[in-house]
Amino acid sequence: EAGVAQSPRYKIIEKRQSVAFWCNPISGHATLYWYQQILGQGPKLLIQFQNNGVVDDSQLPKDRFSAERLKGVDSTLKIQPAKLEDSAVYLCASSLGWGTSVAYEQYFGPGTRLTVT
Amino acid sequence: DAKTTQPNSMESNEEEPVHLPCNHSTISGTDYIHWYRQLPSQGPEYVIHGLTSNVNNRMASLAIAEDRKSSTLILHRATLRDAAVYYCIAGTASKLTFGTGTRLQVTL
């Protein structure tokens, strides 16, 4: 079974530039997550999609970050304009479903390491 | 989500059992206990989860205290490939709030 795919793996940009990350979840997984992991910290959830609808984007800095999941499959996360503090690894994860009474395993991709200079 | 407390780091010898503790004294009755691990330069990987009863799978065992205020992840025979950061998460079924985890070192 193919895992979660992400690209690019590495990106270096200057502050105030824009950047986009792409994620292809495991086939058949309805739920997709984007996390931000700053060096030395655990991942922080940015946004959660169920199919192509947003379930939770409470921690997404909406003034500069945006995400979409067209057709309920692939997803892109965009930062515009980037700040120095956005330097982090951006992780995409997917799961079969989402619910309040059943816990689904989340499968993570390898991440995109972003450096903002 | 309940706050979790884990040791910053632990060491183990290869082929010995490892017990990774986690304290989650403010856990609610419907919160799950999830364990994920993150190997160097990789995304987190699911290990195990439970609600009230102890759980076993091919990777590990999860022992949950009777009052659910603490739990222990048990790796039965540690290998060098088990060296990773282990995250204990106590929260809803689907939302994972990661802390800083326990860094496990495994030595020969």
Side-chain angles (χ1 to χ4, degrees), chain A residues 19-52:
Chain A
V19 64
F21 313 122
W22 173 81
C23 172
N24 180 242
I26 293 173
S27 177
H29 279 195
T31 310
L32 185 145
Y33 311 79
W34 283 102
Y35 290 84
Q36 178 193 58
Q37 186 171 23
I38 292 171
L39 189 64
Q41 299 180 18
K44 181 181 88 171
L45 178 68
L46 293 176
I47 189 167
Q48 176 185 347
F49 291 94
Q50 175 70 10
N51 296 312
N52 59 353

XYZ file of all heavy atoms in Angstrom, chain A residues 19-52:
280
model
N 4.863 30.222 -0.921
C 5.279 28.832 -1.122
C 4.032 27.944 -1.035
O 3.051 28.296 -0.357
C 6.331 28.420 -0.064
C 5.740 28.438 1.341
C 6.924 27.059 -0.378
N 4.081 26.827 -1.741
C 2.966 25.876 -1.695
C 3.498 24.472 -1.517
O 4.538 24.105 -2.075
C 2.144 25.967 -2.977
N 2.770 23.689 -0.752
C 3.114 22.290 -0.502
C 1.965 21.423 -0.996
O 0.796 21.794 -0.881
C 3.322 22.028 1.000
C 4.188 23.023 1.694
C 3.715 23.738 2.778
C 5.480 23.264 1.255
C 4.505 24.664 3.426
C 6.278 24.189 1.906
C 5.790 24.893 2.984
N 2.332 20.250 -1.477
C 1.324 19.345 -2.037
C 1.304 18.038 -1.265
O 2.350 17.557 -0.799
C 1.656 19.092 -3.508
C 0.803 18.056 -4.174
C -0.442 18.193 -4.687
C 1.159 16.677 -4.394
N -0.887 17.006 -5.224
C 0.081 16.063 -5.056
C 2.292 15.907 -4.094
C 0.093 14.720 -5.428
C 2.314 14.574 -4.466
C 1.211 13.996 -5.119
N 0.118 17.457 -1.119
C -0.030 16.191 -0.405
C -0.996 15.287 -1.151
O -2.080 15.713 -1.566
C -0.550 16.433 1.012
S -0.993 14.928 1.916
N -0.608 14.023 -1.294
C -1.485 12.999 -1.846
C -1.694 11.940 -0.777
O -0.754 11.228 -0.429
C -0.874 12.397 -3.114
C -1.756 11.319 -3.716
O -1.368 10.157 -3.819
N -2.960 11.692 -4.096
N -2.901 11.836 -0.241
C -3.113 10.897 0.871
C -3.210 9.455 0.389
O -3.199 9.186 -0.808
C -4.463 11.360 1.434
C -5.176 11.904 0.239
C -4.115 12.540 -0.617
N -3.297 8.553 1.326
C -3.496 7.144 1.001
C -4.865 6.978 0.334
O -5.855 7.591 0.777
C -3.392 6.271 2.262
C -1.946 6.302 2.784
C -3.841 4.841 2.004
C -1.743 5.619 4.118
N -4.905 6.192 -0.711
C -6.134 6.003 -1.467
C -7.272 5.523 -0.563
O -7.106 4.602 0.240
C -5.893 4.971 -2.573
O -7.084 4.714 -3.285
N -8.408 6.201 -0.679
C -9.574 5.806 0.112
C -9.692 6.491 1.465
O -10.704 6.333 2.153
N -8.662 7.249 1.836
C -8.715 7.945 3.123
C -9.516 9.230 2.976
O -9.190 10.104 2.184
C -7.304 8.255 3.621
C -6.657 7.078 4.278
N -5.528 7.203 5.068
C -6.974 5.766 4.279
C -5.195 6.012 5.529
N -6.058 5.119 5.054
N -10.566 9.347 3.795
C -11.467 10.494 3.689
C -10.946 11.718 4.438
O -11.295 12.843 4.117
C -12.850 10.114 4.221
N -10.113 11.485 5.441
C -9.688 12.588 6.300
C -8.225 12.933 6.042
O -7.385 12.034 5.940
C -9.886 12.223 7.782
O -11.217 11.720 7.966
C -9.707 13.445 8.669
N -7.964 14.211 5.926
C -6.607 14.682 5.635
C -6.261 15.794 6.618
O -7.100 16.645 6.947
C -6.512 15.191 4.193
C -5.130 15.613 3.676
C -4.993 15.271 2.193
C -4.859 17.079 3.936
N -5.030 15.769 7.110
C -4.541 16.724 8.107
C -3.255 17.386 7.616
O -2.427 16.742 6.984
C -4.206 16.018 9.427
C -5.256 15.071 9.977
C -5.389 13.787 9.465
C -6.084 15.445 11.041
C -6.340 12.906 9.979
C -7.021 14.567 11.567
C -7.143 13.301 11.033
O -8.069 12.427 11.558
N -3.094 18.646 7.970
C -1.815 19.338 7.824
C -1.325 19.736 9.210
O -2.077 20.309 10.005
C -1.937 20.593 6.973
C -2.033 20.363 5.505
C -3.145 20.396 4.731
C -0.939 20.098 4.610
N -2.814 20.152 3.409
C -1.470 19.967 3.313
C 0.448 19.957 4.776
C -0.688 19.711 2.187
C 1.225 19.691 3.668
C 0.667 19.574 2.390
N -0.064 19.413 9.489
C 0.582 19.765 10.749
C 1.822 20.608 10.474
O 2.470 20.467 9.435
C 1.051 18.511 11.500
C -0.033 17.637 12.076
C -0.665 16.675 11.291
C -0.407 17.739 13.406
C -1.646 15.850 11.822
C -1.381 16.915 13.953
C -1.990 15.976 13.154
O -2.957 15.147 13.691
N 2.156 21.430 11.444
C 3.413 22.185 11.418
C 4.273 21.693 12.587
O 3.793 21.616 13.721
C 3.145 23.684 11.597
C 4.385 24.556 11.634
C 4.076 25.959 12.127
O 3.570 26.159 13.224
N 4.356 26.946 11.293
N 5.529 21.342 12.300
C 6.426 20.894 13.363
C 7.667 21.775 13.386
O 8.527 21.677 12.497
C 6.818 19.436 13.204
C 7.639 18.915 14.380
C 7.860 17.419 14.341
O 7.796 16.796 13.290
N 8.094 16.816 15.503
N 7.745 22.602 14.398
C 8.923 23.450 14.606
C 9.993 22.617 15.313
O 9.679 21.756 16.145
C 8.533 24.698 15.412
C 7.616 25.575 14.555
C 9.750 25.483 15.871
C 6.981 26.729 15.282
N 11.231 22.877 15.004
C 12.347 22.106 15.542
C 12.271 21.997 17.065
O 12.104 23.007 17.761
C 13.660 22.767 15.128
C 14.934 21.982 15.421
C 14.952 20.683 14.626
C 16.172 22.825 15.109
N 12.336 20.771 17.569
C 12.326 20.545 19.006
C 10.944 20.437 19.623
O 10.815 20.201 20.826
N 9.903 20.594 18.792
C 8.526 20.512 19.295
C 7.787 19.363 18.615
O 8.221 18.837 17.592
C 7.786 21.828 19.029
C 8.414 23.039 19.701
C 7.628 24.308 19.406
O 6.469 24.273 18.989
N 8.265 25.449 19.640
N 6.649 19.001 19.184
C 5.795 18.024 18.524
C 4.982 18.698 17.433
O 4.866 19.924 17.384
N 4.412 17.918 16.528
C 3.590 18.493 15.466
C 2.370 19.213 16.030
O 1.796 18.791 17.034
C 3.171 17.263 14.650
C 4.184 16.223 14.954
C 4.572 16.457 16.375
N 1.978 20.301 15.340
C 0.794 21.059 15.716
C -0.193 21.031 14.568
O 0.163 21.365 13.431
C 1.154 22.506 16.055
C -0.041 23.361 16.480
C 0.372 24.796 16.785
C 0.340 25.631 15.545
N 0.521 27.078 15.825
N -1.432 20.635 14.847
C -2.447 20.570 13.801
C -2.772 21.964 13.283
O -3.077 22.877 14.049
C -3.717 19.912 14.342
C -4.881 19.812 13.356
C -4.555 18.832 12.221
C -6.157 19.382 14.065
N -2.717 22.117 11.955
C -3.109 23.381 11.325
C -4.539 23.303 10.806
O -5.350 24.206 11.011
C -2.172 23.722 10.171
C -0.736 24.063 10.533
C 0.085 24.277 9.263
C -0.669 25.301 11.424
N -4.846 22.234 10.084
C -6.164 22.115 9.476
C -6.486 20.646 9.251
O -5.604 19.833 9.020
C -6.227 22.913 8.146
C -7.659 22.981 7.608
C -5.274 22.334 7.107
C -7.831 24.014 6.485
N -7.789 20.329 9.341
C -8.282 18.974 9.129
C -9.431 19.026 8.138
O -10.355 19.819 8.288
C -8.753 18.361 10.443
C -9.382 16.988 10.326
C -9.952 16.481 11.641
O -9.680 17.030 12.696
N -10.746 15.427 11.577
N -9.354 18.170 7.109
C -10.409 18.053 6.106
C -11.108 16.701 6.264
O -10.478 15.685 6.519
C -9.834 18.094 4.687
C -9.266 19.403 4.257
C -7.904 19.663 4.405
C -10.068 20.375 3.681
C -7.363 20.865 3.995
C -9.541 21.580 3.260
C -8.187 21.831 3.415
N -12.402 16.702 6.068
C -13.154 15.474 5.900
C -13.700 15.546 4.482
O -14.528 16.402 4.171
C -14.299 15.366 6.918
C -15.204 14.168 6.732
C -14.533 12.856 7.075
O -13.435 12.835 7.629
N -15.183 11.762 6.771
N -13.202 14.654 3.603
C -13.434 14.770 2.166
C -12.953 16.157 1.731
O -11.799 16.475 1.947
C -14.884 14.482 1.823
C -15.231 13.028 2.157
O -14.501 12.123 1.789
N -16.316 12.820 2.874
N -13.771 16.997 1.147
C -13.255 18.303 0.762
C -13.786 19.425 1.642
O -13.654 20.608 1.311
C -13.531 18.591 -0.717
C -15.019 18.552 -1.020
O -15.806 18.198 -0.166
N -15.398 18.915 -2.220
